[in-house]
Amino acid sequence: MSGNPNLSEKSNERDTKEASEVKKEIRLLEREIPEKLLETILEANQYVELQELERRLDSLIVRKRFDLQDSLSRQSKKTRAIRIFIRKTLENQAFQSHEEKNDIQISDLASLSVPSWTIHMEGRLIPGKEEEMKQLDEIPFTTFFKKIAFQIQRSEELYPESNYVEWNKLSNGTNLANELKLKRNGDQNVKINILLYPDEHPERYKLSSAFANLLAIKEGTRPTIVTALWQYIKFHRLQDMEEKRLINCDKGLRNLFETDRLYFPRIPELMNRFLEPVDPIVLSFELNVNEESDNPFEIFDVFVNADDPKQTQTRSFLANVMNQNEIKVLDEKISSFIEAIHYSKSKYDFMRQFSEDPVMFIHRWTESQSKDLEVILDGSETNFAEKKDSKYYQQPWIEESAIHYLNRLNSKKQQEILNASTRK
């Protein structure tokens, strides 16, 4: 029975990739300069001092990171008020033109400017009792939203430009801003809806009507919903007396989950079909293109359940600290340099010993090679007379045996490194 060659190739590729990743991790551990070179290379002592400083910094960073994560878990959310200002700028509208339509020649039609309008959306946090406006101005209002969508209510045929535009917050927060702009062509009044999707951690969900009626809550986070369901089960005494993880469904649960018994650990997965994203906050207004004003023509106050603004900055800081791609690249370079130093040291020792006493060095080297050969041959007896002849080491099988021997040494060295890293 023959195997699938494609599966075999994929398996080999996966094994090769895993092996290369393991080798890469092992290389990162080889960052120590040999002790014998510390006195020879003046810069080596500086490198050792830098390593010690790096270890202390790593320890400090890890401890501070745990402190920050602990502070994030302990702080509770609070309702924040955001004031949204919406203003407009108009270009080439009818009331802005000073030319008479009758004076326009046919040849000038191509040079006419297209009427357009621009919506400017700005936001500011309303300070609390112990907050200063200056500090809040430094926090972009888009920090509190994961998505902001603009809906322009007009014909798609007359205005081929997209009438639905989204702004989505990037995971690294690089596109946060205190102002969003939307420019479109047009010379007619138009109704616009702005949909605000709050960025909440953990995320809130809206319950389906049947699920909401059962638990008497309309929305909540996953832990809140599971807790409410558990309170319902306890109140109605639906937990099985013998097997505590089984729930005996009453009429309400039976109609909802369509089963007589539930395995409680599976409830978070089963309730997914009854959860929907919460409805966005909708800001509706009409854009009038027949007059222009520098003052905001619409002001909205929006309330969101959000973390302390400092928490958002803390999360961003922790994400940057955890992202150590640049450090990994530098570690790989250091590892390569250390390997080159080890190789140069071995080469230097070899040449130095050979120059001091060439004859004795050759005898010791051939004796060492003979012992290594016996190890390769599993201790089998060899003719010592043949060993002294150089032709003995020029046979075809010698090269293959040497490769096997070096591979064994390499595997042994890798195992020692892995054991050392495990002990740390």
Side-chain angles (χ1 to χ4, degrees):
M1 186 170 101
S2 60
N4 190 332
N6 293 331
L7 292 178
S8 178
E9 291 179 1
K10 291 181 179 179
S11 177
N12 293 335
E13 290 178 359
R14 183 175 63 254
D15 294 342
T16 303
K17 184 178 180 181
E18 292 177 355
S20 63
E21 291 178 353
V22 171
K23 183 178 179 182
K24 188 176 181 180
E25 292 178 359
I26 293 173
R27 286 185 59 205
L28 292 178
L29 298 175
E30 297 179 355
R31 305 194 324 172
E32 301 294 334
I33 295 180
E35 294 183 1
K36 296 181 180 180
L37 292 181
L38 294 178
E39 298 178 357
T40 306
I41 305 176
L42 298 178
E43 293 81 359
N45 292 322
Q46 297 178 1
Y47 175 78
V48 173
E49 293 176 0
L50 287 174
Q51 280 189 309
E52 179 61 27
L53 178 61
E54 180 185 14
R55 280 190 286 267
R56 285 188 289 171
L57 282 175
D58 288 341
S59 176
L60 179 62
I61 290 173
V62 170
R63 187 166 65 252
K64 292 297 182 182
R65 189 175 71 223
F66 286 148
D67 291 342
L68 291 174
Q69 290 173 343
D70 182 62
S71 66
L72 288 177
S73 63
R74 286 187 284 103
Q75 294 184 15
S76 59
K77 297 180 180 297
K78 61 180 179 180
T79 301
R80 302 305 303 253
I82 303 175
R83 183 155 293 170
I84 305 295
F85 302 88
I86 298 176
R87 58 185 180 87
K88 63 184 178 182
T89 54
L90 307 175
E91 296 180 5
N92 306 315
Q93 297 296 333
F95 75 94
Q96 295 174 319
S97 176
H98 300 289
E99 297 179 357
E100 295 292 336
K101 295 183 179 180
N102 296 333
D103 295 338
I104 300 176
Q105 303 296 327
I106 297 179
S107 60
D108 297 333
L109 292 178
S111 62
L112 289 177
S113 299
V114 178
S116 65
W117 48 262
T118 303
I119 290 295
H120 304 261
M121 179 182 179
E122 301 178 17
R124 294 291 185 274
L125 275 172
I126 299 178
K129 296 181 179 179
E130 300 179 355
E131 295 177 325
E132 296 182 3
M133 194 64 191
K134 183 178 180 181
Q135 296 177 347
L136 298 182
D137 286 342
E138 299 176 356
I139 304 172
F141 86 97
T142 53
T143 303
F144 300 93
F145 303 99
K146 61 183 178 182
K147 182 171 70 173
I148 299 176
F150 295 82
Q151 287 182 340
I152 307 172
Q153 300 180 11
R154 62 182 183 179
S155 172
E156 294 282 352
E157 296 180 357
L158 295 178
Y159 300 96
E161 290 181 293
S162 176
N163 291 326
Y164 180 82
V165 180
E166 282 187 359
W167 173 91
N168 293 279
K169 181 166 70 172
L170 299 178
S171 58
N172 56 9
T174 55
N175 63 337
L176 297 179
N178 257 331
E179 181 183 5
L180 298 180
K181 298 180 182 180
L182 175 64
K183 183 175 181 179
R184 286 293 181 268
N185 295 330
D187 59 356
Q188 300 293 326
N189 296 345
V190 62
K191 292 183 178 181
I192 299 176
N193 293 330
I194 299 180
L195 311 181
L196 306 175
Y197 296 83
D199 187 12
E200 300 179 342
H201 303 279
E203 187 175 359
R204 287 187 306 126
Y205 296 90
K206 182 177 68 173
L207 281 67
S208 64
S209 58
F211 202 19
N213 292 333
L214 184 72
L215 301 184
I217 58 174
K218 294 184 178 180
E219 60 183 40
T221 63
R222 285 182 179 275
T224 303
I225 298 171
V226 172
T227 301
L229 183 57
W230 174 242
Q231 294 297 330
Y232 177 89
I233 293 170
K234 286 177 62 179
F235 180 80
H236 294 278
R237 299 179 180 179
L238 302 178
Q239 190 176 19
D240 192 272
M241 299 301 296
E242 296 181 358
E243 177 54 63
K244 300 295 184 180
R245 293 178 296 178
L246 289 178
I247 307 301
N248 299 314
C249 298
D250 62 356
K251 183 178 179 181
L253 290 178
R254 192 179 301 112
N255 293 338
L256 192 67
F257 293 101
E258 300 178 351
T259 183
D260 294 330
R261 306 187 83 185
L262 282 174
Y263 184 58
F264 191 80
R266 286 199 62 206
I267 285 181
E269 176 187 352
L270 295 174
M271 73 181 189
N272 283 340
R273 53 180 172 167
F274 307 113
L275 303 181
E276 301 175 358
V278 295
D279 295 330
I281 302 170
V282 181
L283 309 180
S284 300
F285 58 91
E286 183 175 359
L287 174 66
N288 186 355
V289 299
N290 297 320
E291 59 181 13
E292 188 172 17
S293 174
D294 295 333
N295 298 323
F297 67 99
E298 295 290 346
I299 300 177
F300 300 91
D301 284 344
V302 175
F303 298 90
V304 295
N305 294 323
D307 299 328
D308 189 337
K310 294 181 180 179
Q311 280 191 302
T312 305
Q313 296 175 355
T314 302
R315 284 198 178 93
S316 177
F317 172 75
L318 289 175
N320 293 332
V321 170
M322 297 296 290
N323 186 11
Q324 298 184 349
N325 293 331
E326 186 176 354
I327 295 178
K328 290 180 180 178
V329 172
L330 294 176
D331 282 341
E332 290 180 9
K333 291 183 179 180
I334 293 174
S335 178
S336 300
F337 293 145
I338 296 299
E339 286 184 0
I341 291 174
H342 278 283
Y343 176 76
S344 298
K345 176 64 168 58
S346 301
K347 186 177 179 181
Y348 171 80
D349 291 340
F350 183 92
M351 295 299 183
R352 180 180 56 80
Q353 294 174 12
F354 179 77
S355 64
E356 291 175 353
D357 192 347
V359 176
M360 184 58 67
F361 176 79
I362 292 296
H363 283 302
R364 286 198 304 267
W365 185 75
T366 53
E367 183 179 356
S368 174
Q369 294 298 310
S370 299
K371 291 180 180 179
D372 293 340
L373 181 59
E374 290 181 4
V375 173
I376 295 172
L377 298 176
D378 296 329
S380 60
E381 295 295 334
T382 55
N383 192 336
F384 288 98
E386 293 181 356
K387 292 180 184 179
K388 296 181 179 181
D389 191 351
S390 61
K391 294 181 180 180
Y392 179 83
Y393 300 97
Q394 297 177 1
Q395 301 180 57
W397 57 269
I398 290 293
E399 183 177 354
E400 183 178 356
S401 299
I403 293 174
H404 287 296
Y405 171 71
L406 293 176
N407 287 337
R408 290 180 61 182
L409 287 181
N410 189 31
S411 299
K412 182 179 178 181
K413 184 177 180 182
Q414 291 181 358
Q415 188 62 40
E416 290 175 355
I417 294 174
L418 288 175
N419 294 337
S421 64
T422 304
R423 287 195 297 270
K424 291 181 180 179

PDB file of all heavy atoms in Angstrom, residues 35 40 44 72 156-157 166 228-229 237 263 271 318 323 331 354 360 366 381 404-405 416:
ATOM      1  N   GLU A  35      35.536  31.631  28.375  1.00  0.00           N
ATOM      2  CA  GLU A  35      36.266  32.291  29.457  1.00  0.00           C
ATOM      3  C   GLU A  35      37.735  32.543  29.096  1.00  0.00           C
ATOM      4  O   GLU A  35      38.339  33.518  29.542  1.00  0.00           O
ATOM      5  CB  GLU A  35      36.170  31.449  30.727  1.00  0.00           C
ATOM      6  CG  GLU A  35      34.753  31.351  31.282  1.00  0.00           C
ATOM      7  CD  GLU A  35      34.718  30.583  32.578  1.00  0.00           C
ATOM      8  OE1 GLU A  35      35.807  30.161  33.039  1.00  0.00           O
ATOM      9  OE2 GLU A  35      33.619  30.398  33.135  1.00  0.00           O
ATOM     10  N   THR A  40      41.939  37.786  26.586  1.00  0.00           N
ATOM     11  CA  THR A  40      42.566  38.098  25.296  1.00  0.00           C
ATOM     12  C   THR A  40      41.860  39.251  24.590  1.00  0.00           C
ATOM     13  O   THR A  40      42.511  40.147  24.043  1.00  0.00           O
ATOM     14  CB  THR A  40      42.565  36.855  24.390  1.00  0.00           C
ATOM     15  OG1 THR A  40      43.167  35.772  25.099  1.00  0.00           O
ATOM     16  CG2 THR A  40      43.324  37.124  23.106  1.00  0.00           C
ATOM     17  N   ALA A  44      35.604  41.929  25.369  1.00  0.00           N
ATOM     18  CA  ALA A  44      34.802  40.840  25.928  1.00  0.00           C
ATOM     19  C   ALA A  44      34.266  41.194  27.306  1.00  0.00           C
ATOM     20  O   ALA A  44      33.127  40.861  27.650  1.00  0.00           O
ATOM     21  CB  ALA A  44      35.634  39.561  25.985  1.00  0.00           C
ATOM     22  N   LEU A  72      -4.424  46.359  35.735  1.00  0.00           N
ATOM     23  CA  LEU A  72      -5.497  46.360  34.729  1.00  0.00           C
ATOM     24  C   LEU A  72      -6.643  45.455  35.144  1.00  0.00           C
ATOM     25  O   LEU A  72      -7.809  45.760  34.903  1.00  0.00           O
ATOM     26  CB  LEU A  72      -4.942  45.918  33.371  1.00  0.00           C
ATOM     27  CG  LEU A  72      -4.028  46.906  32.637  1.00  0.00           C
ATOM     28  CD1 LEU A  72      -3.508  46.289  31.356  1.00  0.00           C
ATOM     29  CD2 LEU A  72      -4.751  48.201  32.335  1.00  0.00           C
ATOM     30  N   GLU A 156     -27.435  55.675  -5.079  1.00  0.00           N
ATOM     31  CA  GLU A 156     -26.160  55.121  -5.540  1.00  0.00           C
ATOM     32  C   GLU A 156     -25.971  55.359  -7.035  1.00  0.00           C
ATOM     33  O   GLU A 156     -24.841  55.456  -7.518  1.00  0.00           O
ATOM     34  CB  GLU A 156     -26.094  53.623  -5.240  1.00  0.00           C
ATOM     35  CG  GLU A 156     -26.068  53.270  -3.767  1.00  0.00           C
ATOM     36  CD  GLU A 156     -24.698  53.471  -3.172  1.00  0.00           C
ATOM     37  OE1 GLU A 156     -23.762  53.743  -3.946  1.00  0.00           O
ATOM     38  OE2 GLU A 156     -24.568  53.371  -1.942  1.00  0.00           O
ATOM     39  N   GLU A 157     -27.066  55.460  -7.786  1.00  0.00           N
ATOM     40  CA  GLU A 157     -26.969  55.649  -9.235  1.00  0.00           C
ATOM     41  C   GLU A 157     -26.526  57.075  -9.566  1.00  0.00           C
ATOM     42  O   GLU A 157     -25.712  57.285 -10.470  1.00  0.00           O
ATOM     43  CB  GLU A 157     -28.312  55.354  -9.889  1.00  0.00           C
ATOM     44  CG  GLU A 157     -28.752  53.890  -9.728  1.00  0.00           C
ATOM     45  CD  GLU A 157     -30.093  53.632 -10.383  1.00  0.00           C
ATOM     46  OE1 GLU A 157     -30.686  54.614 -10.904  1.00  0.00           O
ATOM     47  OE2 GLU A 157     -30.545  52.477 -10.368  1.00  0.00           O
ATOM     48  N   GLU A 166     -16.208  53.358   6.377  1.00  0.00           N
ATOM     49  CA  GLU A 166     -15.873  52.886   7.715  1.00  0.00           C
ATOM     50  C   GLU A 166     -14.474  53.333   8.116  1.00  0.00           C
ATOM     51  O   GLU A 166     -13.562  53.380   7.281  1.00  0.00           O
ATOM     52  CB  GLU A 166     -15.920  51.348   7.793  1.00  0.00           C
ATOM     53  CG  GLU A 166     -17.304  50.769   7.887  1.00  0.00           C
ATOM     54  CD  GLU A 166     -17.261  49.265   8.125  1.00  0.00           C
ATOM     55  OE1 GLU A 166     -16.137  48.706   8.191  1.00  0.00           O
ATOM     56  OE2 GLU A 166     -18.333  48.651   8.247  1.00  0.00           O
ATOM     57  N   ALA A 228     -25.511  34.931  34.999  1.00  0.00           N
ATOM     58  CA  ALA A 228     -26.965  35.049  35.053  1.00  0.00           C
ATOM     59  C   ALA A 228     -27.631  33.706  34.772  1.00  0.00           C
ATOM     60  O   ALA A 228     -28.620  33.335  35.427  1.00  0.00           O
ATOM     61  CB  ALA A 228     -27.444  36.101  34.051  1.00  0.00           C
ATOM     62  N   LEU A 229     -27.095  32.950  33.818  1.00  0.00           N
ATOM     63  CA  LEU A 229     -27.655  31.634  33.518  1.00  0.00           C
ATOM     64  C   LEU A 229     -27.458  30.673  34.685  1.00  0.00           C
ATOM     65  O   LEU A 229     -28.343  29.870  35.014  1.00  0.00           O
ATOM     66  CB  LEU A 229     -27.004  31.087  32.246  1.00  0.00           C
ATOM     67  CG  LEU A 229     -27.518  29.737  31.745  1.00  0.00           C
ATOM     68  CD1 LEU A 229     -29.016  29.787  31.494  1.00  0.00           C
ATOM     69  CD2 LEU A 229     -26.770  29.312  30.479  1.00  0.00           C
ATOM     70  N   ARG A 237     -33.248  25.009  40.699  1.00  0.00           N
ATOM     71  CA  ARG A 237     -32.724  23.713  41.140  1.00  0.00           C
ATOM     72  C   ARG A 237     -32.677  22.696  39.991  1.00  0.00           C
ATOM     73  O   ARG A 237     -33.211  21.592  40.070  1.00  0.00           O
ATOM     74  CB  ARG A 237     -33.580  23.158  42.280  1.00  0.00           C
ATOM     75  CG  ARG A 237     -33.599  24.058  43.507  1.00  0.00           C
ATOM     76  CD  ARG A 237     -34.460  23.484  44.595  1.00  0.00           C
ATOM     77  NE  ARG A 237     -34.467  24.358  45.773  1.00  0.00           N
ATOM     78  CZ  ARG A 237     -35.160  24.120  46.885  1.00  0.00           C
ATOM     79  NH1 ARG A 237     -35.896  23.008  46.975  1.00  0.00           N
ATOM     80  NH2 ARG A 237     -35.109  24.964  47.902  1.00  0.00           N
ATOM     81  N   TYR A 263     -24.702  19.817  29.308  1.00  0.00           N
ATOM     82  CA  TYR A 263     -23.405  19.658  29.950  1.00  0.00           C
ATOM     83  C   TYR A 263     -22.875  21.062  30.192  1.00  0.00           C
ATOM     84  O   TYR A 263     -22.547  21.788  29.253  1.00  0.00           O
ATOM     85  CB  TYR A 263     -22.485  18.848  29.042  1.00  0.00           C
ATOM     86  CG  TYR A 263     -21.128  18.536  29.632  1.00  0.00           C
ATOM     87  CD1 TYR A 263     -21.012  17.847  30.830  1.00  0.00           C
ATOM     88  CD2 TYR A 263     -19.966  18.923  28.981  1.00  0.00           C
ATOM     89  CE1 TYR A 263     -19.771  17.557  31.371  1.00  0.00           C
ATOM     90  CE2 TYR A 263     -18.713  18.637  29.507  1.00  0.00           C
ATOM     91  CZ  TYR A 263     -18.630  17.951  30.698  1.00  0.00           C
ATOM     92  OH  TYR A 263     -17.395  17.658  31.237  1.00  0.00           O
ATOM     93  N   MET A 271     -24.337  28.863  23.760  1.00  0.00           N
ATOM     94  CA  MET A 271     -25.099  30.108  23.792  1.00  0.00           C
ATOM     95  C   MET A 271     -24.628  31.110  22.749  1.00  0.00           C
ATOM     96  O   MET A 271     -25.206  32.194  22.634  1.00  0.00           O
ATOM     97  CB  MET A 271     -25.029  30.731  25.192  1.00  0.00           C
ATOM     98  CG  MET A 271     -23.690  31.341  25.548  1.00  0.00           C
ATOM     99  SD  MET A 271     -23.701  32.028  27.218  1.00  0.00           S
ATOM    100  CE  MET A 271     -22.124  32.890  27.217  1.00  0.00           C
ATOM    101  N   LEU A 318       2.001  47.721  27.041  1.00  0.00           N
ATOM    102  CA  LEU A 318       2.272  46.296  27.250  1.00  0.00           C
ATOM    103  C   LEU A 318       2.378  45.559  25.919  1.00  0.00           C
ATOM    104  O   LEU A 318       3.203  44.656  25.768  1.00  0.00           O
ATOM    105  CB  LEU A 318       1.166  45.682  28.113  1.00  0.00           C
ATOM    106  CG  LEU A 318       1.161  46.093  29.590  1.00  0.00           C
ATOM    107  CD1 LEU A 318      -0.056  45.508  30.298  1.00  0.00           C
ATOM    108  CD2 LEU A 318       2.440  45.642  30.283  1.00  0.00           C
ATOM    109  N   ASN A 323       6.069  42.803  22.078  1.00  0.00           N
ATOM    110  CA  ASN A 323       6.534  42.649  20.705  1.00  0.00           C
ATOM    111  C   ASN A 323       8.048  42.890  20.650  1.00  0.00           C
ATOM    112  O   ASN A 323       8.512  44.021  20.666  1.00  0.00           O
ATOM    113  CB  ASN A 323       5.804  43.633  19.794  1.00  0.00           C
ATOM    114  CG  ASN A 323       6.139  43.416  18.335  1.00  0.00           C
ATOM    115  OD1 ASN A 323       6.758  42.421  17.966  1.00  0.00           O
ATOM    116  ND2 ASN A 323       5.740  44.352  17.501  1.00  0.00           N
ATOM    117  N   ASP A 331      19.423  39.367  18.700  1.00  0.00           N
ATOM    118  CA  ASP A 331      19.917  38.157  19.370  1.00  0.00           C
ATOM    119  C   ASP A 331      20.476  37.148  18.365  1.00  0.00           C
ATOM    120  O   ASP A 331      21.484  36.476  18.630  1.00  0.00           O
ATOM    121  CB  ASP A 331      18.786  37.515  20.182  1.00  0.00           C
ATOM    122  CG  ASP A 331      18.543  38.241  21.497  1.00  0.00           C
ATOM    123  OD1 ASP A 331      19.444  38.978  21.930  1.00  0.00           O
ATOM    124  OD2 ASP A 331      17.457  38.063  22.086  1.00  0.00           O
ATOM    125  N   PHE A 354      49.811  22.963  16.891  1.00  0.00           N
ATOM    126  CA  PHE A 354      50.576  22.375  15.798  1.00  0.00           C
ATOM    127  C   PHE A 354      51.922  23.075  15.628  1.00  0.00           C
ATOM    128  O   PHE A 354      52.953  22.438  15.352  1.00  0.00           O
ATOM    129  CB  PHE A 354      49.757  22.459  14.509  1.00  0.00           C
ATOM    130  CG  PHE A 354      50.476  21.904  13.308  1.00  0.00           C
ATOM    131  CD1 PHE A 354      50.586  20.531  13.117  1.00  0.00           C
ATOM    132  CD2 PHE A 354      51.047  22.758  12.365  1.00  0.00           C
ATOM    133  CE1 PHE A 354      51.259  20.020  12.009  1.00  0.00           C
ATOM    134  CE2 PHE A 354      51.716  22.254  11.267  1.00  0.00           C
ATOM    135  CZ  PHE A 354      51.819  20.870  11.085  1.00  0.00           C
ATOM    136  N   MET A 360      54.499  15.742  17.816  1.00  0.00           N
ATOM    137  CA  MET A 360      53.677  15.280  18.932  1.00  0.00           C
ATOM    138  C   MET A 360      52.194  15.599  18.692  1.00  0.00           C
ATOM    139  O   MET A 360      51.314  14.805  19.041  1.00  0.00           O
ATOM    140  CB  MET A 360      54.161  15.933  20.226  1.00  0.00           C
ATOM    141  CG  MET A 360      53.434  15.444  21.478  1.00  0.00           C
ATOM    142  SD  MET A 360      53.586  13.649  21.697  1.00  0.00           S
ATOM    143  CE  MET A 360      55.353  13.542  22.035  1.00  0.00           C
ATOM    144  N   THR A 366      46.161  11.896  15.606  1.00  0.00           N
ATOM    145  CA  THR A 366      45.816  10.602  15.014  1.00  0.00           C
ATOM    146  C   THR A 366      45.277   9.643  16.075  1.00  0.00           C
ATOM    147  O   THR A 366      44.351   8.858  15.817  1.00  0.00           O
ATOM    148  CB  THR A 366      47.039   9.983  14.335  1.00  0.00           C
ATOM    149  OG1 THR A 366      48.133   9.939  15.264  1.00  0.00           O
ATOM    150  CG2 THR A 366      47.438  10.776  13.112  1.00  0.00           C
ATOM    151  N   GLU A 381      37.004  -4.019  16.998  1.00  0.00           N
ATOM    152  CA  GLU A 381      38.464  -4.037  16.933  1.00  0.00           C
ATOM    153  C   GLU A 381      38.943  -3.635  15.546  1.00  0.00           C
ATOM    154  O   GLU A 381      38.373  -4.031  14.539  1.00  0.00           O
ATOM    155  CB  GLU A 381      38.975  -5.428  17.273  1.00  0.00           C
ATOM    156  CG  GLU A 381      38.694  -5.847  18.704  1.00  0.00           C
ATOM    157  CD  GLU A 381      39.427  -4.990  19.708  1.00  0.00           C
ATOM    158  OE1 GLU A 381      40.479  -4.431  19.350  1.00  0.00           O
ATOM    159  OE2 GLU A 381      38.943  -4.841  20.853  1.00  0.00           O
ATOM    160  N   HIS A 404      28.767  10.991  10.346  1.00  0.00           N
ATOM    161  CA  HIS A 404      27.917  10.446  11.400  1.00  0.00           C
ATOM    162  C   HIS A 404      28.431  10.855  12.784  1.00  0.00           C
ATOM    163  O   HIS A 404      27.655  11.174  13.686  1.00  0.00           O
ATOM    164  CB  HIS A 404      27.846   8.928  11.295  1.00  0.00           C
ATOM    165  CG  HIS A 404      27.016   8.453  10.137  1.00  0.00           C
ATOM    166  ND1 HIS A 404      25.660   8.701  10.048  1.00  0.00           N
ATOM    167  CD2 HIS A 404      27.349   7.753   9.020  1.00  0.00           C
ATOM    168  CE1 HIS A 404      25.187   8.166   8.926  1.00  0.00           C
ATOM    169  NE2 HIS A 404      26.194   7.587   8.285  1.00  0.00           N
ATOM    170  N   TYR A 405      29.737  10.833  12.912  1.00  0.00           N
ATOM    171  CA  TYR A 405      30.320  11.189  14.207  1.00  0.00           C
ATOM    172  C   TYR A 405      30.051  12.654  14.558  1.00  0.00           C
ATOM    173  O   TYR A 405      29.677  12.985  15.695  1.00  0.00           O
ATOM    174  CB  TYR A 405      31.830  10.919  14.158  1.00  0.00           C
ATOM    175  CG  TYR A 405      32.574  11.441  15.358  1.00  0.00           C
ATOM    176  CD1 TYR A 405      32.428  10.844  16.600  1.00  0.00           C
ATOM    177  CD2 TYR A 405      33.398  12.557  15.257  1.00  0.00           C
ATOM    178  CE1 TYR A 405      33.093  11.335  17.711  1.00  0.00           C
ATOM    179  CE2 TYR A 405      34.071  13.051  16.357  1.00  0.00           C
ATOM    180  CZ  TYR A 405      33.924  12.443  17.581  1.00  0.00           C
ATOM    181  OH  TYR A 405      34.570  12.930  18.679  1.00  0.00           O
ATOM    182  N   GLU A 416      22.597  19.121  25.472  1.00  0.00           N
ATOM    183  CA  GLU A 416      23.153  19.780  26.646  1.00  0.00           C
ATOM    184  C   GLU A 416      22.618  21.211  26.784  1.00  0.00           C
ATOM    185  O   GLU A 416      22.311  21.667  27.892  1.00  0.00           O
ATOM    186  CB  GLU A 416      24.682  19.809  26.553  1.00  0.00           C
ATOM    187  CG  GLU A 416      25.319  18.423  26.715  1.00  0.00           C
ATOM    188  CD  GLU A 416      26.834  18.469  26.493  1.00  0.00           C
ATOM    189  OE1 GLU A 416      27.333  19.552  26.129  1.00  0.00           O
ATOM    190  OE2 GLU A 416      27.472  17.433  26.683  1.00  0.00           O
TER     191      GLU A 416
END
